[in-house]
Amino acid sequence: MRPPIIILTEAELRALVPLDLAAIDSMEGAFRALATQAVVMPPVMRLDMPLGEVDVKTAYLPGLPHFAIKISPGFFANPARGLPSTNGMMVVLSAETGLVEALLLDNGYLTDLRTAAAGAVAARHLARADAASAAILGAGMQARMQLRALSLVRPIRAARVWARDGAKAQAFAAEMAQALDFPIAAAASVEAAVEGADVIVTTTPASEPILHHAAAGAHVTAMGSDAPHKNELAPALLAGGTYVADRLAQTRIQGELHHAIAAGLAAPDAIFPELGQVIAGLAPGRTDPAAITVTDLTGTGIQDTAIAAFALTRARAAGAGQTFTA
Amino acid sequence: MRPPIIILTEAELRALVPLDLAAIDSMEGAFRALATQAVVMPPVMRLDMPLGEVDVKTAYLPGLPHFAIKISPGFFANPARGLPSTNGMMVVLSAETGLVEALLLDNGYLTDLRTAAAGAVAARHLARADAASAAILGAGMQARMQLRALSLVRPIRAARVWARDGAKAQAFAAEMAQALDFPIAAAASVEAAVEGADVIVTTTPASEPILHHAAAGAHVTAMGSDAPHKNELAPALLAGGTYVADRLAQTRIQGELHHAIAAGLAAPDAIFPELGQVIAGLAPGRTDPAAITVTDLTGTGIQDTAIAAFALTRARAAGAGQTFTA
């Protein structure tokens, strides 16, 4: 007898799984597992079409009763039609039987959430414990979530934001200062935004470096590079810092590291630590308060499986969603 | 405004999309497109876990308004739990916007259907027009569907079936003779089953060759080889026949061709025609009534996109399924 399938909508998932410390902890567990367990994570499947693209990610994490397959479309003419450019859903299957257990119709919300949570995990393990000021580059939805996530793990008391569109930076500053209850200023340049900042998070779709310098002791999280052409960090900044990948095999070909390798500032086969190894104590992270640490987040299927399993556990505990027998 | 998602169950899909000539024609169109259009079909994504495996397939076909992403789990301890070993579903997305349009909770039915339909397409283009006798190796569900599909495209008037388990072959013969209204005999050996047969279809999970000879003029469809270790045809039979792949890049690494290459009977880079090229008249198929033709079907994402689009069109026309707003 097949068990019924639980279907959860975006609104239900937003209510069940807000951006909080529990979500961040679940992401930390996923990265730790990547370094310490026999995780199975195939390369991302990508389908390129005339009007858009779709990425499919998956991973199996020993010990979790479920695994997720995530479908992430990006169709960049959508906003002209009044539709969001990114969407998507996750299918959650039993790791015991392969049966579909849940359909998470999240329209990309869980991806946004796990990406923000990964930024917080990086800051928790690499930023100085007393990091109090943040600079956010980019002023979109992910920029908002990164600042909120960061403020859950570090005692942030002030932030600056920069965006190519100054009006968006102003709107971000006004909105987020109210939400987070500390002063946030819109900066006129990247340099002005990052001057003296303890933590810098880049969230733009830039394809040329926008960040060239960081203060001594700063931590930088680059979370924009989910495709080979994307590039936010100057290769020299990366090469001069303590570099940590989310998944080295992936950052070598599509992360910020890829551009440092292309610039001849990193060897193609150089070994760098992964975030999970730092979390598990298998690799050093920050060893010097004056070091610049850099985390390169390209997005991994293990994060999707972890956040989907987390959401499904919460949904079952709450009796949320509709059930459907196929 | 996001359009609602249509959810269709296995029972609804079985009623909407039976194995008929229209389904076979849709599969023929998919193979023709593969040879004549700018189809985008990434390699299959495969996740191997301790208790099972999942394949994910997709393809974009220019001109179709939708594309499908198919999730096919295989968990071989399931029958001991009273569950089927193979399952799965398809997600249908708009090729214009990337939005999810339908969830086909088919438990693998559409895969079975498109696989059987592909066998019929191969027979339609490679078997002699007067082919009247069939031999089916294997006596499972796909064996049944292959014989039904074949009888829609060729004037089959008698069949023999062989299976490792003789009782299953007997049950197949009794059941299918009633369904198809021509005599069907269970054979005691592969050799007895295929002697003089005009069309031979292999549907077993064998990992050593079971078919070594075919009569002059016979057409052979091997549809079991969806993984590198599977092997139903003796390499010499393949090498001595007119060989046609579903997708050459795939049969070279996981099809029957893979074993002929390993045996030194085909060059690793030898060019063979694909079924779509034969359909489109871009490659010869059967040029001699006495030739033995061999089609190697490993399964392609374009078939999944085609059958999903076909099912969704029928569902919309019938107003079938439930709608769901995410």
Side-chain angles (χ1 to χ4, degrees):
Chain A
M1 182 63 194
R2 295 172 188 278
I5 296 171
I6 299 178
I7 302 183
L8 293 156
T9 64
E10 178 184 346
E12 288 167 331
L13 289 162
R14 284 183 182 273
L16 284 166
V17 194
L19 177 53
D20 59 14
L21 280 171
I24 292 167
D25 290 344
S26 94
M27 212 44 48
E28 183 168 308
F31 281 108
R32 183 185 291 108
L34 199 53
T36 58
Q37 293 189 54
V39 163
V40 186
M41 189 162 70
V44 176
M45 172 186 255
R46 187 182 174 95
L47 180 67
D48 285 292
M49 290 159 283
L51 293 174
E53 64 196 35
V54 177
D55 277 351
V56 182
K57 289 181 176 164
T58 188
Y60 166 74
L61 201 167
L64 277 189
H66 314 110
F67 64 98
I69 296 175
K70 183 177 78 170
I71 297 171
S72 299
F75 278 67
F76 298 102
N78 275 6
R81 300 169 184 247
L83 293 168
S85 58
T86 59
N87 288 287
M89 62 171 290
M90 296 190 191
V91 179
V92 188
L93 299 99
S94 163
E96 299 282 319
T97 64
L99 294 178
V100 176
E101 298 214 350
L103 299 167
L104 310 183
L105 305 178
D106 68 324
N107 299 319
Y109 168 68
L110 293 175
T111 297
D112 295 337
L113 179 70
R114 63 83 154 148
T115 301
V121 172
R124 192 189 250 173
H125 290 275
L126 290 156
R128 294 196 326 272
D130 62 354
S133 62
I136 308 292
L137 306 185
M141 184 277 314
Q142 184 60 221
R144 287 166 166 77
M145 292 182 78
Q146 287 287 341
L147 182 57
R148 286 175 50 214
L150 176 62
S151 70
L152 293 171
V153 298
R154 282 296 178 266
I156 303 298
R157 286 188 297 270
R160 285 192 289 261
V161 60
W162 170 86
R164 208 170 289 273
D165 180 341
K168 287 187 179 163
Q170 295 284 355
F172 176 107
E175 175 190 328
M176 295 304 291
Q178 189 148 25
L180 292 173
D181 210 21
F182 53 69
I184 303 178
S189 66
V190 171
E191 291 65 33
V194 306
E195 190 186 350
D198 297 326
V199 179
I200 304 169
V201 185
T202 68
T203 71
T204 76
S207 53
E208 295 287 341
I210 55 172
L211 182 65
H212 296 265
H213 303 285
H219 169 70
V220 178
T221 294
M223 54 66 53
S225 193
D226 59 355
H229 69 278
K230 294 190 186 171
N231 185 198
E232 298 185 278
L233 306 191
L237 174 64
L238 186 157
T242 299
Y243 174 84
V244 177
D246 58 355
R247 188 62 161 175
L248 185 57
Q250 196 164 292
T251 63
R252 278 177 178 155
I253 55 172
Q254 71 178 52
E256 298 293 341
L257 178 58
H258 157 68
H259 299 282
I261 290 170
L265 293 179
D269 57 355
I271 301 291
F272 293 99
E274 293 187 352
L275 181 55
Q277 295 172 314
V278 173
I279 293 167
L282 300 173
R286 172 174 292 280
T287 54
D288 175 355
I292 295 173
T293 51
V294 175
T295 306
D296 192 0
L297 297 182
T298 51
T300 62
I302 194 72
Q303 295 170 255
D304 301 314
T305 280
I307 201 72
F310 182 74
L312 182 53
T313 300
R314 284 220 172 151
R316 287 197 167 135
Q322 293 182 46
T323 58
F324 205 92
T325 300
Chain B
M1 181 64 191
R2 294 172 189 279
I5 295 170
I6 299 178
I7 302 183
L8 293 157
T9 63
E10 179 185 345
E12 288 167 333
L13 289 162
R14 284 183 182 272
L16 284 166
V17 193
L19 177 53
D20 60 13
L21 279 172
I24 293 168
D25 289 343
S26 95
M27 211 44 49
E28 183 168 307
F31 280 108
R32 184 184 291 110
L34 198 53
T36 58
Q37 293 188 54
V39 163
V40 186
M41 189 161 71
V44 176
M45 172 185 254
R46 187 181 173 93
L47 180 67
D48 284 293
M49 291 160 283
L51 294 175
E53 65 196 34
V54 177
D55 277 350
V56 182
K57 289 181 177 163
T58 188
Y60 166 73
L61 201 167
L64 277 189
H66 314 109
F67 64 98
I69 296 175
K70 184 178 76 171
I71 297 171
S72 299
F75 279 67
F76 298 101
N78 276 5
R81 299 168 184 247
L83 293 168
S85 59
T86 59
N87 287 287
M89 62 171 289
M90 297 190 190
V91 179
V92 188
L93 299 98
S94 162
E96 299 282 319
T97 65
L99 294 178
V100 176
E101 298 214 349
L103 300 167
L104 310 183
L105 306 177
D106 68 323
N107 298 319
Y109 168 67
L110 293 175
T111 298
D112 295 337
L113 178 70
R114 63 82 154 149
T115 301
V121 171
R124 191 189 252 173
H125 290 275
L126 290 157
R128 293 197 324 273
D130 63 352
S133 62
I136 308 292
L137 306 185
M141 184 279 313
Q142 184 59 221
R144 287 164 165 78
M145 292 181 78
Q146 287 287 341
L147 182 56
R148 286 176 49 216
L150 175 62
S151 70
L152 292 171
V153 298
R154 282 296 179 266
I156 303 297
R157 287 188 295 270
R160 285 192 289 260
V161 59
W162 170 87
R164 206 170 290 273
D165 180 342
K168 286 188 179 163
Q170 295 284 354
F172 176 106
E175 175 191 327
M176 295 304 292
Q178 187 148 26
L180 293 173
D181 210 22
F182 53 70
I184 303 179
S189 67
V190 170
E191 291 66 32
V194 305
E195 190 186 351
D198 297 326
V199 179
I200 304 170
V201 186
T202 69
T203 70
T204 76
S207 52
E208 297 286 341
I210 54 171
L211 182 65
H212 295 265
H213 303 284
H219 169 70
V220 178
T221 294
M223 53 68 52
S225 192
D226 59 353
H229 68 280
K230 296 191 185 170
N231 185 198
E232 299 183 279
L233 306 191
L237 174 64
L238 187 156
T242 299
Y243 175 84
V244 177
D246 58 354
R247 188 61 160 175
L248 185 58
Q250 196 165 292
T251 62
R252 277 177 178 156
I253 55 173
Q254 71 177 52
E256 298 293 339
L257 178 58
H258 158 69
H259 299 282
I261 290 170
L265 294 180
D269 57 355
I271 302 292
F272 293 99
E274 294 187 351
L275 181 55
Q277 295 172 315
V278 173
I279 293 168
L282 300 172
R286 171 174 293 279
T287 52
D288 176 355
I292 295 174
T293 51
V294 175
T295 306
D296 192 0
L297 298 181
T298 52
T300 62
I302 194 72
Q303 294 170 256
D304 300 314
T305 280
I307 202 72
F310 181 75
L312 182 54
T313 300
R314 284 219 172 151
R316 287 198 167 134
Q322 293 183 46
T323 58
F324 205 92
T325 301

